[in-house]
Amino acid sequence: MQKKRQEKKNEGRAGSGKQTVRTRVSPAKKKLAREVIRRLKEEYPLAECTLAYEDAWQLLVSVRLAAQCTDERVDQITPLLYARFPDVASLAAAEPSQIEEVVRPCGLGPSKARDISACMRVLHEQYDDRVPETFEELLALPGVGRKSANLIMGDVFGKPAIVTDTHCIRLCNLIGLVDGIKDPAKVERELWKIVPPEEGNDLCHRFVHHGRAVCVARRPQCGICCLRDICRYAKGLEKGAEKNAQKD
């Protein structure tokens, strides 16, 4: 059974969605990335996925439900879904309308139910109810994009992965790891150039924790941030405050 954070976590770290292009690497950004990694490790020693799951297929379901929905809501709904459909085979046999009855509170019920149904059918018919272990096979599953595939590769199979969710994209721009890039695939590509492969997955989990606890979207708490002296946004605020003080 493919269990959460398999023992493969520390085995061969190759073969995921890692992009190998390493041109135009900024030494300053590479240095900044390593310092960000070091500090966030100290601040958040435990780097885990914020979605609750036991098996790999459950993480596939949860990450699809999490689109435009909070992780908290997803974690409330998935136990109800699994009580009714406890395994890949039962979900594969269910009609999308039956799945939608349960997952509707997560929003976008019809499309999410269709994707979950189609995905579970592929797992059941082509993979003997198991989740494939290559990035390319994951991307071919219905409803699975790069973010979802990277999450599975990193959390389940222990391979190099960078999950460019909204927290990752926002914090990377604020800190200065990327420059005004909002497209997830482009942010992922830039991070591969400066983040050590073995650190990518856990770093992205720590971005989520930090984005929720300190660097909140509407009002970043720069005064208590462990990155305030190296963060581009925080340093900009400090310079602005100094200029205003000089005018006064």
Side-chain angles (χ1 to χ4, degrees):
M1 182 178 292
Q2 293 167 308
K3 290 294 184 180
K4 181 179 179 180
R5 285 184 173 270
Q6 293 181 352
E7 293 181 355
K8 293 183 180 181
K9 178 74 178 177
N10 294 318
E11 294 180 4
R13 293 183 171 269
S16 73
K18 176 182 172 184
Q19 300 187 20
T20 57
V21 177
R22 295 274 174 174
T23 58
R24 299 180 182 176
V25 178
S26 165
K29 278 184 169 32
K30 199 168 185 177
K31 181 179 179 181
L32 175 61
R34 291 184 180 276
E35 183 61 15
V36 168
I37 291 168
R38 185 188 70 79
R39 295 191 188 190
L40 290 183
K41 273 186 179 181
E42 292 182 356
E43 196 76 8
Y44 310 98
L46 187 62
E48 288 189 336
C49 179
T50 52
L51 291 166
Y53 69 96
E54 291 296 329
D55 298 310
W57 67 268
Q58 293 179 343
L59 184 55
L60 273 177
V61 171
S62 290
V63 75
R64 181 65 188 97
L65 292 177
Q68 299 183 41
C69 180
T70 65
D71 291 354
E72 291 79 7
R73 174 61 62 86
V74 172
D75 287 345
Q76 292 170 2
I77 297 302
T78 48
L80 304 177
L81 182 66
Y82 303 147
R84 187 169 174 181
F85 308 106
D87 49 33
V88 172
S90 57
L91 270 174
E95 292 296 325
S97 59
Q98 294 176 300
I99 298 173
E100 185 189 352
E101 290 175 3
V102 184
V103 305
R104 188 176 295 118
C106 293
L108 305 175
S111 63
K112 291 180 179 180
R114 284 195 301 270
D115 284 344
I116 291 171
S117 174
C119 183
M120 294 302 110
R121 288 177 183 177
V122 171
L123 295 187
H124 184 62
E125 296 170 2
Q126 299 183 24
Y127 294 100
D128 194 26
D129 293 357
R130 296 175 65 84
V131 174
E133 300 186 20
T134 71
F135 193 77
E136 292 72 23
E137 287 176 305
L138 285 169
L139 277 181
L141 294 175
V144 176
R146 292 193 66 86
K147 182 179 77 171
S148 302
N150 269 306
L151 184 62
I152 296 293
M153 293 302 295
D155 266 44
V156 175
F157 300 122
K159 300 294 180 63
I162 288 179
V163 182
T164 50
D165 63 4
T166 54
H167 289 288
C168 175
I169 295 170
R170 181 171 58 83
L171 267 64
C172 285
N173 277 280
L174 289 175
I175 294 167
L177 294 173
V178 300
D179 303 316
I181 304 175
K182 305 298 183 182
D183 179 77
K186 292 180 179 178
V187 172
E188 180 189 342
R189 183 169 61 245
E190 292 305 306
L191 290 180
W192 279 126
K193 298 177 184 178
I194 60 176
V195 173
E198 69 276 9
E199 299 286 357
N201 189 59
D202 286 349
L203 174 62
C204 292
H205 285 323
R206 292 187 172 104
F207 279 149
V208 173
H209 295 313
H210 196 60
R212 291 178 175 177
V214 179
C215 193
V216 294
R218 294 185 177 180
R219 185 177 296 178
Q221 305 297 308
C222 298
I224 61 171
C225 180
C226 63
L227 306 174
R228 60 186 176 274
D229 61 313
I230 60 173
C231 170
R232 177 168 57 194
Y233 177 79
K235 291 192 293 184
L237 288 181
E238 185 177 349
K239 289 181 180 179
E242 290 175 356
K243 288 181 180 179
N244 291 333
Q246 291 175 357
K247 290 179 181 179
D248 294 341

